[in-house]
Amino acid sequence: NFDDESYIVNNSHVRAGLTWSTFAWAWTATDSSNWHPLTWLSHALDCQLYGLNPAGHHLTSVLFHCLNVGLLFFLLVRITGKVGRSGMVAALFAVHPFNVESVAWAAERKNVLSTLFFLLALGAYGWYARKPNTQRYLLVSVMFALGLASKPMVITLPFVLLLLDFWPLKRIQGWSQQPALPALEGRKNRKLHAQTVPGESSFPISQLPFTSLLREKLPLLALSVASAVITLIAQGSAVRSFTRIPLVSRLENAVVAYAMYVWKAFWPTRLALFYPHALHRLAGWQIGLALLFLAAVSALAWQQRGARPYLATGWLWYLGTMVPVIGIVQVGDQAMADRYAYLPLIGIFVMAIWSAADWVDASQFSLQLTRAVAAAVLAIFAFLTWRQIGYWHSREQLWTRTLQLTDHNPVAENNLADALRAAGRLDEALPHFQYATQLQPNDPTSRVNLASALAESGRLDEAIQQYAAAVQLSSDPTQEVRAYESIASLYSVLGDFSKMRENYQEALRIDPQQGQEMISHVSQSVATQPGPEIYMQLGVLLEQTGQVSQARVAYEQALKLDPSLGEAKKSLDALGEGKRSGGR
């Protein structure tokens, strides 16, 4: 019940499968506060193949993850020549608990899909680097564009390519001990060059000045800028204002989050679906310790850039690819998210495995011992991943676990309450809705959720109060309209038709275009549970939208079901038909 419903279950475009209508919608839709047409189309293809059978949707995500694992292994082997190290990095990526969220959560298809195209773009870039030409560069651009059309987080690709130019490709003249290979040198000399650099990659390429390599990335950077602009437009109101989350709080959280992602990479326990933003609750020692850690690793990577260049590349890969989701531009109220680490932690894995392998080589450990330790590490992570997957078996388990691991988490409170309510356990759900409102008294959505639950439990006056509070707090016209509509409906049940009329008038004043949709809502109620108060609602809405003759019919039907309903007779009199209706 967290994005899966809006992405798939209740999304009519996606459920229609791969139709021309869905294809056209996917390229213009910003329903999820993101522009990712390929992600929409992948969901639509799943619906075409499997309907709403969740097994098929999850299978597709697992297959994409497996492709990513294979591509990562192939690319690392191809450009470093290190089979064992590359295999260990790919294996960590395959079974690390951090990646459960990206693979097990159907709505996170965008993560595994965008990473697939990101890795394909890296492969295309390696192909281009061996023999630069327009056709090969175009392939890099196409793969990058497809990645951006899956999830805009991959906008950092041009900077990652510069990191790979440093290591392991070593394309930058003067930045490595590898002798420069003239740009126009032929295949024969390149082969000779590769043979004369012991221990280096069997991936010989030309070296160029850094400024040339920088200019080479400009077209890709233009794609990044375009994607960033589209994303900011698409996200719109989802971007949190600096009033709600000040810049200082964002910077403090970013520093701590950078450190926490690394900590959880090595100690992947207590993983939750939603980590609430701490705002001003971070202690000074937490921020200071995180800053010290980041500064120390950065200094080490810089100091070792000659002897161990993989440290600089891995560390800057991690820092750079995390920038779009580190919270400087804050979307939502999360402090961090496991899914955000899917691509960035590849850099940490490379740092850890290459460093460990160098230490093992220097210590001359036996191959059998090395393999045993590697297998043990992978087995531990695989076990933790298996356990983490268990929390994804139901929404109730997932949100209960999240609340066990986090404090001050209104998102988890609301979603657990929603899960309990859907299971028919409204009495258990209400305290969670109420606590969510206590945690975020100024959040209109929490108020609406609580109001809806109160109404369902028969506490109508309290529900009206919560809807009214939501109207006062909301800046979203659609949300205000829905709140006024709900208040009007509740007043109808209470028999206060004058207040019902007032609230429908307010809803239509805010957005007259919503009139027909409200009529549709009431018409559905009339069809399932016809009653005089429902016909009164329908009559008022029809009258206020200028559909007088249909309104007259609705009032007459209300009076027929309850001849003592004075408000129906009064409404007919107001329409100039009181005498004729009274005669009936």
Side-chain angles (χ1 to χ4, degrees), residues 366-389:
S366 69
L367 182 60
Q368 291 77 8
L369 177 61
T370 302
R371 287 176 174 174
V373 172
V377 170
L378 292 176
I380 291 170
F381 281 160
F383 169 77
L384 293 174
T385 291
W386 171 80
R387 189 178 68 172
Q388 185 66 18
I389 290 169

Side-chain angles (χ1 to χ4, degrees), residues 100-269:
V100 168
E101 188 170 298
S102 293
V103 183
W105 187 6
E108 267 308 296
R109 171 68 53 75
K110 54 183 177 284
N111 226 19
V112 291
L113 186 60
S114 63
T115 300
L116 173 65
F117 288 113
F118 184 94
L119 294 173
L120 287 172
L122 295 187
Y125 182 71
W127 187 51
Y128 162 82
R130 296 199 66 168
K131 185 179 180 182
N133 61 45
T134 302
Q135 291 79 9
R136 296 187 180 198
Y137 192 90
L138 182 61
L139 181 60
V140 178
S141 303
V142 170
M143 291 298 106
F144 182 35
L146 293 175
L148 293 171
S150 304
K151 184 180 182 180
M153 182 178 169
V154 297
I155 61 172
T156 55
L157 177 78
F159 304 100
V160 170
L161 297 183
L162 283 173
L163 292 178
L164 298 184
D165 285 339
F166 169 65
W167 183 88
L169 295 179
K170 299 189 176 183
R171 296 186 71 202
I172 307 175
Q173 284 183 359
W175 278 32
S176 74
Q177 298 174 355
Q178 176 176 315
L181 182 64
L184 299 179
E185 195 167 8
R187 176 185 294 181
K188 179 178 179 180
N189 288 334
R190 270 198 288 269
K191 287 183 177 179
L192 177 62
H193 172 81
Q195 295 170 359
T196 59
V197 187
E200 292 295 337
S201 166
S202 59
F203 197 80
I205 55 175
S206 310
Q207 290 191 330
L208 296 170
F210 179 73
T211 53
S212 299
L213 296 172
L214 192 60
R215 285 195 300 271
E216 180 184 74
K217 311 301 185 295
L218 290 180
L220 300 176
L221 188 59
L223 288 175
S224 296
V225 171
S227 177
V229 171
I230 292 171
T231 300
L232 288 174
I233 294 172
Q235 288 175 338
S237 60
V239 178
R240 296 297 185 249
S241 67
F242 286 109
T243 302
R244 181 164 178 172
I245 303 179
L247 179 59
V248 172
S249 295
R250 300 182 190 207
L251 294 173
E252 291 173 347
N253 181 79
V255 168
V256 173
Y258 264 125
M260 285 302 298
Y261 281 119
V262 178
W263 169 254
K264 287 180 178 290
F266 290 94
W267 195 260
T269 60

